[in-house]
Amino acid sequence: MESVSSTLFGNETDKLALLVIKNHLVDVPNGILSSWNDFLHFCEWEGVSCGRRHQRVTVLRLEGHSLGGSLPPPNLIGNLTFLRELVLSNNNLQGSIPSDIGLLRRIWHLNLSRNSLQGEIPVELTNCSNLKLGLDREQSDRADTLPCWAYVQTPSSEARAEQPNRDYPIYFGDSSAALSGV
């Protein structure tokens, strides 16, 4: 019975975290978040996928829907403890990346490219050992916005000329490995 109650509590935590995320987003003009309501289980909401066993949120994909607003402040996204993928690219999001994304130990794919996010990449993301982060090329090229623990694997100038709009990933690792590649 204890595992059932912890699963139900986890489900409620995930639902509340998603509702807070929804409240920080401006859903114009697509109405993509209209399915985020009490008539559907949150695992059936647009852009949300859950694991079969625990019914916990594992994927949140809302890329390319012209969503405005911002990511919620710290201590909210980190409650989605089963989250493996967070993809909010190609929107109109502003603000900064919340540091509590670093609490998501299972996350391996975070893509926030093609938004108007500002500030540094939170150092807490070093806790996410499997993480691949998508940033805009312009952000990646600005070395002053990257903390010392992150480094960018950039392609040759010829490859950049062939694919000028491509996002370049940031790879995380220990700072000595990152610095040795500079």
Side-chain angles (χ1 to χ4, degrees):
M1 187 65 158
E2 186 176 325
S3 65
V4 171
S5 65
S6 65
T7 300
L8 290 175
F9 178 73
N11 281 344
E12 189 64 21
T13 300
D14 284 4
K15 180 180 179 180
L16 292 174
L18 289 171
L19 289 173
V20 170
I21 292 169
K22 178 184 179 182
N23 288 336
H24 281 84
L25 298 176
V26 178
D27 188 15
V28 179
N30 299 327
I32 195 74
L33 300 179
S34 63
S35 68
W36 290 35
N37 59 54
D38 287 332
F39 298 110
L40 294 173
H41 188 274
F42 66 87
C43 291
E44 298 174 25
W45 292 353
E46 183 75 32
V48 177
S49 298
C50 295
R52 292 182 199 165
R53 184 174 176 202
H54 297 290
Q55 291 294 295
R56 302 290 305 273
V57 176
T58 56
V59 176
L60 181 56
R61 293 189 76 96
L62 295 171
E63 73 270 24
H65 292 293
S66 301
L67 296 171
S70 63
L71 295 172
N75 301 321
L76 296 168
I77 288 181
N79 288 332
L80 297 171
T81 56
F82 280 70
L83 195 65
R84 294 187 316 235
E85 295 182 54
L86 177 60
V87 181
L88 299 172
S89 57
N90 268 346
N91 285 297
N92 299 311
L93 300 177
Q94 299 179 353
S96 59
I97 301 170
S99 59
D100 66 326
I101 290 178
L103 297 174
L104 303 174
R105 306 297 173 142
R106 292 176 172 91
I107 198 162
W108 64 270
H109 184 198
L110 173 63
N111 190 338
L112 303 171
S113 65
R114 307 256 192 275
N115 283 293
S116 297
L117 298 172
Q118 299 174 343
E120 289 193 357
I121 300 167
V123 70
E124 290 83 0
L125 291 180
T126 58
N127 296 326
C128 306
S129 59
N130 298 316
L131 182 62
K132 293 181 183 174
L133 174 67
L135 286 178
D136 290 326
R137 179 170 45 99
E138 293 78 20
Q139 289 173 305
S140 299
D141 287 343
R142 292 181 40 206
D144 61 324
T145 65
L146 298 176
C148 64
W149 50 265
Y151 63 99
V152 181
Q153 180 182 23
T154 56
S156 67
S157 57
E158 294 84 17
R160 281 186 175 204
E162 291 174 15
Q163 297 179 331
N165 295 324
R166 181 173 180 256
D167 296 327
Y168 299 105
I170 289 185
Y171 297 89
F172 299 93
D174 77 39
S175 59
S176 61
L179 294 175
S180 67
V182 174

